Amino acid sequence: MIGLLLANALFFAIGAGLLPLFRIATDRATLVERLPLAYPVGVAATGIVAAHLALIDVPLGLVELVVLAAVVLFFGLRRARRAGASNRLLLAEPRWSRIVGAGALAVSLVLLAHAWATYEIRPLLEWDGWAIWGTRSRALYEFGGATGPVFTSDVYLPLQHPLLLPSLDAIDFRAMGTYDPTLVHVQLALLAFGFLLGFVSLLRDRVPFALVGASALAVLSAEPVLKQLSTGLADIPLAFFVALGLLGAGRWLASGERWALVAGTLFLGAATLTKSEGLFFALAALLALAPFAWSRRRELGVAAGAVIAVVLPWRLFVSLRDLPLVEYRFRDAVSPAYLSDHSDRVSPAVRGLGGELLSGDWGLLVPLFLVAVAAAVLARRYALAGFAVLWTALAFCGLVLVYWISAIPVDLALVWSGDRTIVTVVVGAAALAPLLAGAAWTAPLRKSRIRSRGLETREDP
């Protein structure tokens, strides 16, 4: 356990150094304010680096992490300016909002503490958990890279899933000095904690605290989230990365803060290396931004290029080694002939995924998203509302496309994975709900301040 915790402390240190290097925090005061974001940033960045190094058989262990953290921290703290006043936006919110938000976050922490206690004694039971993800994690730990038969032979199908999550697990095994498929579940609880830190950090100074805390609690308390996370599969980690990426992108769209787009791009890049479907969700986010941020297309283009650069080594690895992929191939998604021949799969995929989306298992997440969109529209925050609705529609269509091009019988595929693949759509949309509601909350205050200064009003982008 000590080795695993030390590895995660080093993830935090790496993230703390990356905040100034990525210009997420440009001075010491801002660095302190955004320091909670350091852990999820460090996990995402380290996971990306480790996944890429695994492709060339270079393992990342505790010694390498210490060196990496020291170097990144040194250059990061040097880049952070000593001077600089806080530019945090202080929202005018009542005291009860802060109390409710703090209470909701406290309950969220209690949930995560219970998850931690359960995960650290829970064996790896699920078939996909040990046969796919656990096997890949152990192979990276035992052999140091992804060029062996576990990653290239059809004996170990499916092979299409990228390596970020197994690479993080392998780092933990090296830090602990042994393969422990039970204790490594604690890493999953820490990923949930990282999601909570990133969620609060990206929203706190733009959204009333009651909305921040209540939304975080709604996501973490939804029945499938912590339950599915305990299985060791990649669906919930994927949802966490996509949700944080959407928050960064949405905040940039609403405020123009470039650091938010940088953070969002990093998380979307991590999503593409967490599971194959992550590429669809990341592309959906970038496409959903385009109509509403066309005047800032240069920044958006750089973000799109960065996401592609993150996933490209893995796609080249798959292509150059001609890995046997039995579930689906991305090239079939752009083949009119293939799509036409398998068009009978679309209707059952839409019905099956739609049923999972509207399942009562998600509690208030779907209604909260719909109410938040309506509130944003009524407050004339059309761009932000449009981005949220368009991403949700594109993400859902992307999942339908996955089942459309899959080689597995569609009814069987939906039974096997429908309840898991829909997680990212629901969690991603729910994560945008407080940003939408917060924009509606602050819009009247902003307009009244502008009028009091004798200036003309205009809608934010």
Side-chain angles (χ1 to χ4, degrees):
M1 174 71 83
I2 294 176
L4 185 149
L5 295 178
L6 179 56
N8 279 269
L10 292 170
F11 295 160
F12 174 81
I14 291 169
L18 289 177
L19 294 185
L21 291 176
F22 287 169
R23 312 304 288 169
I24 295 173
T26 56
D27 56 66
R28 300 291 174 87
T30 308
L31 178 60
V32 171
E33 288 176 5
R34 295 177 184 158
L35 198 58
L37 196 58
Y39 178 67
V41 164
V43 169
T46 306
I48 290 171
V49 171
H52 287 166
L53 290 177
L55 301 179
I56 55 174
D57 286 340
V58 176
L60 191 60
L62 198 57
V63 174
E64 292 83 4
L65 272 185
V66 170
V67 174
L68 181 61
V71 171
V72 171
L73 265 178
F74 175 76
F75 287 104
L77 294 179
R78 283 194 62 181
R79 184 165 186 176
R81 299 191 304 268
R82 292 184 180 276
S86 171
N87 59 356
R88 182 176 178 178
L89 174 63
L90 296 178
L91 292 175
E93 58 178 317
R95 183 181 179 186
W96 64 263
S97 175
R98 295 189 291 272
I99 295 174
V100 169
L105 288 180
V107 176
S108 298
L109 290 174
V110 171
L111 279 177
L112 294 181
H114 279 286
W116 179 305
T118 302
Y119 290 3
E120 67 178 339
I121 59 173
R122 188 188 191 279
L124 196 58
L125 297 173
E126 286 73 16
W127 173 269
D128 284 0
W130 68 263
I132 300 175
W133 301 100
T135 299
R136 292 159 82 84
S137 300
R138 183 167 190 176
L140 289 177
Y141 166 64
E142 299 284 359
F143 306 114
T147 59
V150 170
F151 305 94
T152 58
S153 169
D154 56 7
V155 175
Y156 294 93
L157 295 174
L159 302 175
Q160 77 270 15
H161 296 305
L163 302 177
L164 186 143
L165 188 60
S167 296
L168 289 175
D169 289 344
I171 291 173
D172 291 334
F173 296 144
R174 296 182 193 116
M176 292 187 292
T178 185
Y179 172 74
D180 190 332
T182 297
L183 197 57
V184 78
H185 283 81
V186 172
Q187 180 64 68
L188 300 171
L190 288 169
L191 288 179
F193 179 64
F195 166 74
L196 181 62
L197 289 176
F199 188 86
V200 175
S201 298
L202 288 166
L203 290 174
R204 176 62 191 102
D205 57 351
R206 290 197 63 84
V207 177
F209 204 39
L211 290 176
V212 176
S215 300
L217 178 58
V219 171
L220 293 175
S221 63
E223 180 184 346
V225 174
L226 294 181
K227 181 178 179 180
Q228 288 192 25
L229 184 63
S230 69
T231 63
L233 276 63
D235 300 278
I236 299 297
L238 171 65
F240 287 160
F241 282 130
V242 170
L244 293 179
L246 290 172
L247 281 179
R251 176 164 178 154
W252 170 74
L253 179 65
S255 66
E257 297 167 292
R258 189 171 297 177
W259 72 265
L261 180 63
V262 173
T265 300
L266 175 66
F267 293 128
L268 291 176
T272 66
L273 292 182
T274 302
K275 205 176 177 200
S276 297
E277 294 87 346
L279 181 58
F280 285 104
F281 294 129
L283 291 177
L286 296 169
L287 289 174
L289 279 174
F292 308 105
W294 191 247
S295 61
R296 292 175 277 172
R297 56 187 176 274
R298 183 174 180 179
E299 295 175 48
L300 184 57
V302 172
V307 171
I308 292 172
V310 167
V311 74
L312 186 59
W314 168 249
R315 299 310 311 169
L316 288 174
F317 179 84
V318 171
S319 178
L320 293 176
R321 290 185 171 271
D322 195 23
L323 297 187
L325 306 179
V326 297
E327 292 191 12
Y328 60 85
R329 292 182 179 273
F330 283 106
R331 65 171 179 247
D332 292 333
V334 293
S335 171
Y338 185 92
L339 295 176
S340 176
D341 291 343
H342 297 81
S343 59
D344 58 319
R345 299 173 62 92
V346 175
S347 180
V350 171
R351 289 196 305 271
L353 292 173
E356 295 292 346
L357 181 65
L358 301 177
S359 168
D361 293 342
W362 295 109
L364 297 175
L365 294 188
V366 175
L368 281 175
F369 173 70
L370 296 175
V371 170
V373 169
V377 170
L378 291 175
R380 305 200 322 183
R381 313 292 288 193
Y382 301 126
L384 193 56
F387 164 66
V389 171
L390 184 56
W391 177 83
T392 304
L394 289 174
F396 183 83
C397 290
L399 276 185
V400 171
L401 182 61
V402 168
Y403 287 94
W404 189 352
I405 64 177
S406 174
I408 301 174
V410 63
D411 292 333
L412 183 59
L414 288 167
V415 170
W416 281 353
S417 63
D419 62 328
R420 293 186 287 106
T421 55
I422 200 65
V423 165
T424 302
V425 178
V426 178
V427 172
L432 287 172
L435 191 62
L436 292 162
W441 179 306
T442 58
L445 295 175
R446 185 176 292 105
K447 289 180 179 180
S448 64
R449 289 172 184 169
I450 292 175
R451 289 193 185 101
S452 68
R453 295 171 186 170
L455 301 175
E456 293 182 1
T457 61
R458 70 174 181 88
E459 180 197 356
D460 286 350

